[in-house]
Amino acid sequence: NRVDVAKILVDCLSTPEATGKTFEGISAAGYPPSKSIGPALARLSLDAEGGPSSEAVLAMYGVLQQLLPGEKQRPDQLAMGQTYEQLDRGETGRLGERGKENVAAAADDVGVTR
């Protein structure tokens, strides 16, 4: 949101580790912001050093997508057995709607005897 973007920009003005570096910022809904942007920026290479290769950037982006996939980023809305992608599309997960999940079906799926 705009408030988060403004905070990052203002923090960069007073953070020496931001000088000479280009980066992208992301946020995940429901997670608190870090107390300082300095430690994250300190780990980045200077632009003059060339930065990571295109392959490295694509690999990092792929990993980040796996950490919190989906557009809604609302784990509190997921049903058991539902993927973030299904949540984004408004689809029900394999165990049913949130709050009405058929847990016995999950046991049958993995061959658990009751």
Side-chain angles (χ1 to χ4, degrees):
N1 69 40
R2 292 177 183 187
V3 173
D4 292 340
V5 172
K7 180 170 179 9
I8 289 171
L9 293 173
V10 170
D11 288 350
C12 284
L13 292 173
S14 61
T15 305
E17 296 88 352
T19 303
K21 298 178 180 177
T22 302
F23 65 94
E24 290 185 38
I26 60 169
S27 66
Y31 289 87
S34 64
K35 294 180 187 201
S36 171
I37 196 168
L41 293 175
R43 293 189 293 269
L44 298 177
S45 303
L46 292 169
D47 290 345
E49 296 170 354
S53 67
S54 296
E55 293 82 13
V57 171
L58 290 173
M60 285 186 271
Y61 185 72
V63 169
L64 289 172
Q65 284 182 309
Q66 296 303 311
L67 293 176
L68 191 57
E71 298 295 321
K72 290 189 180 176
Q73 299 180 359
R74 294 297 309 259
D76 60 316
Q77 293 181 359
L78 280 175
M80 288 175 53
Q82 184 182 33
T83 66
Y84 280 99
E85 291 80 2
Q86 288 172 320
L87 179 64
D88 289 341
R89 294 189 300 261
E91 297 173 358
T92 302
R94 65 184 176 87
L95 300 178
E97 295 179 30
R98 180 174 171 78
K100 302 177 187 173
E101 294 95 335
N102 181 355
V103 179
D108 292 341
D109 286 349
V110 295
V112 173
T113 39
R114 295 178 251 158

